[in-house]
């Protein structure tokens, strides 16, 4: 068995490789892909096969996927370019006759109004149309999206545009473990999993930081346009700020709330909670 993991130089891809190893998959049966293979030297040192691959380079993908039984397709990070890049991945997977494609998507990708959902929806459609067996892992937000901001929250409070919308964020490691379970288990073919942790509002995020730090931390809810201005003022590029603010807009409308317990069932335990995550960040 050969499991190929794309994006292994990224946070999620690397955690998926680690989770596979932790689940007893022999290192020689795992292929870790990345644009810069030097960043995968530690995995190579553990016996994992390392190959260079670039979503913009179809030939590199065809070479990297050779002999793959299963493909862990971690979505690309270049918003606005992912439809063409992901099509390259799906085409190469089809040519390699991969036995299973597992793709990291976004909650409710088939109906979501989020800017980020457009490319995921197109990719899901490409995968299904390819005729390849698949699993769609519709991951909600990462808790790690918020944890690096804790010092800022302590100084300035939490700002956003999510209103009372509940966000089913989960730890990146829990999403990675779910992917490893799907890649190594049976009965997942052509399934769609909506994955998320215990939901919270940004007001509850502020309250939890306040409770654990002993300092008063509030939540300032802003109109989407104003929140974009705040993010740009903090140094973010306009386009990225608009995507982040749109995420909050979607959260306010329930786009990031995940019903059910797919994540807990896959990993066999409760996902990491917001309180536990903040405890590690303080």
């Amino acid at each position: 068995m050969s499991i190929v993991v794309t994006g292994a130089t990224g946070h999620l891809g690397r955690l998926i490789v680690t989770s596979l190893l932790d689940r007893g998959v022999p290192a020689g049966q795992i292929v870790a892909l990345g644009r810069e293979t030097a960043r995968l030297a530690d995995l190579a040192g553990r016996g994992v096969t390392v190959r260079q691959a670039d979503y913009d380079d179809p030939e590199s993908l065809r070479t990297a996927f050779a002999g793959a039984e299963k493909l862990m397709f971690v979505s690309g990070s270049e918003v606005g370019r992912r439809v063409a890049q992901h099509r390259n991945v799906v085409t190469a997977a089809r040519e390699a006759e991969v036995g299973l494609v597992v793709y990291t998507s976004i909650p409710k990708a088939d109906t979501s109004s989020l800017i980020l959902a457009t490319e995921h929806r197109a990719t899901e459609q490409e995968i299904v149309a390819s005729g390849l067996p698949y699993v769609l892992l519709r991951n909600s937000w990462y808790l790690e999206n918020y944890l690096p901001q804790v010092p800022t929250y302590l100084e300035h409070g939490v700002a956003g545009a999510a209103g009372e919308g509940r966000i089913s964020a989960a730890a990146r490691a829990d999403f990675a473990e779910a992917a490893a379970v799907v890649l190594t288990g049976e009965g997942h073919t052509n399934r769609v999993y909506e994955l998320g942790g215990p939901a919270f509002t940004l007001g509850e995020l502020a309250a939890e930081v306040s409770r654990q730090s002993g300092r008063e931390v509030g939540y300032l809810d802003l109109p989407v346009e104003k929140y974009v201005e705040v993010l740009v003022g903090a140094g973010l590029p306009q386009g990225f700020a608009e995507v982040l603010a749109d995420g909050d807009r979607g959260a306010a409308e329930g786009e990031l709330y995940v019903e059910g317990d797919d994540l807990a069932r896959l990993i066999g335990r409760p996902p990491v909670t917001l309180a536990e995550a903040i405890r590690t960040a303080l």
Side-chain angles (χ1 to χ4, degrees), residues 147 208 211-212 273-282:
L147 302 185
E208 186 61 35
R211 184 184 71 81
Q212 293 200 36
T273 65
L274 174 66
E276 291 169 334
I278 289 177
R279 193 173 303 124
T280 67
L282 286 172

PDB file of all heavy atoms in Angstrom, residues 147 208 211-212 273-282:
ATOM      1  N   LEU A 147      -5.493  31.113  18.010  1.00  0.00           N
ATOM      2  CA  LEU A 147      -4.530  31.045  19.116  1.00  0.00           C
ATOM      3  C   LEU A 147      -3.374  32.035  19.006  1.00  0.00           C
ATOM      4  O   LEU A 147      -2.980  32.639  20.012  1.00  0.00           O
ATOM      5  CB  LEU A 147      -4.000  29.615  19.260  1.00  0.00           C
ATOM      6  CG  LEU A 147      -5.065  28.533  19.515  1.00  0.00           C
ATOM      7  CD1 LEU A 147      -4.402  27.188  19.749  1.00  0.00           C
ATOM      8  CD2 LEU A 147      -5.965  28.913  20.689  1.00  0.00           C
ATOM      9  N   GLU A 208     -13.707  33.341  27.171  1.00  0.00           N
ATOM     10  CA  GLU A 208     -12.817  32.265  27.617  1.00  0.00           C
ATOM     11  C   GLU A 208     -11.404  32.781  27.831  1.00  0.00           C
ATOM     12  O   GLU A 208     -10.729  32.416  28.809  1.00  0.00           O
ATOM     13  CB  GLU A 208     -12.822  31.121  26.610  1.00  0.00           C
ATOM     14  CG  GLU A 208     -12.047  29.891  27.042  1.00  0.00           C
ATOM     15  CD  GLU A 208     -12.589  29.265  28.319  1.00  0.00           C
ATOM     16  OE1 GLU A 208     -13.824  29.295  28.535  1.00  0.00           O
ATOM     17  OE2 GLU A 208     -11.771  28.758  29.118  1.00  0.00           O
ATOM     18  N   ARG A 211     -11.566  34.629  31.078  1.00  0.00           N
ATOM     19  CA  ARG A 211     -11.662  33.734  32.243  1.00  0.00           C
ATOM     20  C   ARG A 211     -10.308  33.131  32.580  1.00  0.00           C
ATOM     21  O   ARG A 211      -9.911  33.086  33.753  1.00  0.00           O
ATOM     22  CB  ARG A 211     -12.664  32.621  31.943  1.00  0.00           C
ATOM     23  CG  ARG A 211     -12.920  31.679  33.119  1.00  0.00           C
ATOM     24  CD  ARG A 211     -13.843  30.545  32.739  1.00  0.00           C
ATOM     25  NE  ARG A 211     -13.201  29.584  31.853  1.00  0.00           N
ATOM     26  CZ  ARG A 211     -12.390  28.615  32.273  1.00  0.00           C
ATOM     27  NH1 ARG A 211     -12.103  28.494  33.569  1.00  0.00           N
ATOM     28  NH2 ARG A 211     -11.867  27.768  31.415  1.00  0.00           N
ATOM     29  N   GLN A 212      -9.595  32.679  31.568  1.00  0.00           N
ATOM     30  CA  GLN A 212      -8.336  31.988  31.839  1.00  0.00           C
ATOM     31  C   GLN A 212      -7.185  32.940  32.146  1.00  0.00           C
ATOM     32  O   GLN A 212      -6.244  32.567  32.854  1.00  0.00           O
ATOM     33  CB  GLN A 212      -7.967  31.092  30.655  1.00  0.00           C
ATOM     34  CG  GLN A 212      -8.909  29.917  30.445  1.00  0.00           C
ATOM     35  CD  GLN A 212      -8.269  28.811  29.628  1.00  0.00           C
ATOM     36  OE1 GLN A 212      -7.073  28.542  29.736  1.00  0.00           O
ATOM     37  NE2 GLN A 212      -9.068  28.142  28.811  1.00  0.00           N
ATOM     38  N   THR A 273     -11.187  21.103  22.862  1.00  0.00           N
ATOM     39  CA  THR A 273     -12.134  22.203  23.035  1.00  0.00           C
ATOM     40  C   THR A 273     -11.420  23.553  22.957  1.00  0.00           C
ATOM     41  O   THR A 273     -10.195  23.642  23.055  1.00  0.00           O
ATOM     42  CB  THR A 273     -12.836  22.110  24.395  1.00  0.00           C
ATOM     43  OG1 THR A 273     -11.851  22.298  25.435  1.00  0.00           O
ATOM     44  CG2 THR A 273     -13.514  20.766  24.580  1.00  0.00           C
ATOM     45  N   LEU A 274     -12.220  24.586  22.810  1.00  0.00           N
ATOM     46  CA  LEU A 274     -11.676  25.949  22.815  1.00  0.00           C
ATOM     47  C   LEU A 274     -10.920  26.219  24.113  1.00  0.00           C
ATOM     48  O   LEU A 274      -9.820  26.780  24.103  1.00  0.00           O
ATOM     49  CB  LEU A 274     -12.811  26.963  22.654  1.00  0.00           C
ATOM     50  CG  LEU A 274     -12.424  28.441  22.784  1.00  0.00           C
ATOM     51  CD1 LEU A 274     -11.518  28.858  21.644  1.00  0.00           C
ATOM     52  CD2 LEU A 274     -13.677  29.320  22.825  1.00  0.00           C
ATOM     53  N   ALA A 275     -11.507  25.831  25.251  1.00  0.00           N
ATOM     54  CA  ALA A 275     -10.864  26.076  26.542  1.00  0.00           C
ATOM     55  C   ALA A 275      -9.506  25.396  26.628  1.00  0.00           C
ATOM     56  O   ALA A 275      -8.527  25.981  27.105  1.00  0.00           O
ATOM     57  CB  ALA A 275     -11.775  25.595  27.677  1.00  0.00           C
ATOM     58  N   GLU A 276      -9.429  24.156  26.152  1.00  0.00           N
ATOM     59  CA  GLU A 276      -8.152  23.450  26.187  1.00  0.00           C
ATOM     60  C   GLU A 276      -7.125  24.119  25.287  1.00  0.00           C
ATOM     61  O   GLU A 276      -5.943  24.221  25.652  1.00  0.00           O
ATOM     62  CB  GLU A 276      -8.374  21.994  25.735  1.00  0.00           C
ATOM     63  CG  GLU A 276      -9.181  21.153  26.734  1.00  0.00           C
ATOM     64  CD  GLU A 276      -9.618  19.834  26.169  1.00  0.00           C
ATOM     65  OE1 GLU A 276      -9.768  19.716  24.920  1.00  0.00           O
ATOM     66  OE2 GLU A 276      -9.849  18.905  26.962  1.00  0.00           O
ATOM     67  N   ALA A 277      -7.571  24.577  24.130  1.00  0.00           N
ATOM     68  CA  ALA A 277      -6.654  25.225  23.189  1.00  0.00           C
ATOM     69  C   ALA A 277      -6.110  26.524  23.741  1.00  0.00           C
ATOM     70  O   ALA A 277      -4.911  26.812  23.641  1.00  0.00           O
ATOM     71  CB  ALA A 277      -7.354  25.450  21.864  1.00  0.00           C
ATOM     72  N   ILE A 278      -6.982  27.324  24.347  1.00  0.00           N
ATOM     73  CA  ILE A 278      -6.539  28.607  24.901  1.00  0.00           C
ATOM     74  C   ILE A 278      -5.581  28.388  26.059  1.00  0.00           C
ATOM     75  O   ILE A 278      -4.607  29.122  26.246  1.00  0.00           O
ATOM     76  CB  ILE A 278      -7.756  29.459  25.319  1.00  0.00           C
ATOM     77  CG1 ILE A 278      -8.479  29.939  24.067  1.00  0.00           C
ATOM     78  CG2 ILE A 278      -7.319  30.641  26.186  1.00  0.00           C
ATOM     79  CD1 ILE A 278      -9.734  30.712  24.343  1.00  0.00           C
ATOM     80  N   ARG A 279      -5.819  27.343  26.836  1.00  0.00           N
ATOM     81  CA  ARG A 279      -4.930  27.032  27.958  1.00  0.00           C
ATOM     82  C   ARG A 279      -3.502  26.837  27.465  1.00  0.00           C
ATOM     83  O   ARG A 279      -2.546  27.236  28.138  1.00  0.00           O
ATOM     84  CB  ARG A 279      -5.436  25.778  28.687  1.00  0.00           C
ATOM     85  CG  ARG A 279      -4.776  25.533  30.035  1.00  0.00           C
ATOM     86  CD  ARG A 279      -5.459  24.377  30.761  1.00  0.00           C
ATOM     87  NE  ARG A 279      -6.885  24.652  30.931  1.00  0.00           N
ATOM     88  CZ  ARG A 279      -7.862  23.856  30.507  1.00  0.00           C
ATOM     89  NH1 ARG A 279      -7.584  22.741  29.849  1.00  0.00           N
ATOM     90  NH2 ARG A 279      -9.123  24.172  30.708  1.00  0.00           N
ATOM     91  N   THR A 280      -3.350  26.222  26.305  1.00  0.00           N
ATOM     92  CA  THR A 280      -2.003  25.998  25.766  1.00  0.00           C
ATOM     93  C   THR A 280      -1.397  27.280  25.202  1.00  0.00           C
ATOM     94  O   THR A 280      -0.168  27.353  25.053  1.00  0.00           O
ATOM     95  CB  THR A 280      -2.022  24.937  24.660  1.00  0.00           C
ATOM     96  OG1 THR A 280      -2.754  25.439  23.531  1.00  0.00           O
ATOM     97  CG2 THR A 280      -2.683  23.655  25.135  1.00  0.00           C
ATOM     98  N   ALA A 281      -2.240  28.257  24.891  1.00  0.00           N
ATOM     99  CA  ALA A 281      -1.741  29.484  24.265  1.00  0.00           C
ATOM    100  C   ALA A 281      -1.375  30.556  25.272  1.00  0.00           C
ATOM    101  O   ALA A 281      -0.715  31.538  24.923  1.00  0.00           O
ATOM    102  CB  ALA A 281      -2.806  30.041  23.307  1.00  0.00           C
ATOM    103  N   LEU A 282      -1.803  30.391  26.498  1.00  0.00           N
ATOM    104  CA  LEU A 282      -1.531  31.395  27.527  1.00  0.00           C
ATOM    105  C   LEU A 282      -0.242  31.083  28.284  1.00  0.00           C
ATOM    106  O   LEU A 282       0.164  29.949  28.379  1.00  0.00           O
ATOM    107  CB  LEU A 282      -2.708  31.463  28.515  1.00  0.00           C
ATOM    108  CG  LEU A 282      -3.971  32.158  27.989  1.00  0.00           C
ATOM    109  CD1 LEU A 282      -5.116  31.981  28.967  1.00  0.00           C
ATOM    110  CD2 LEU A 282      -3.693  33.638  27.761  1.00  0.00           C
TER     111      LEU A 282
END
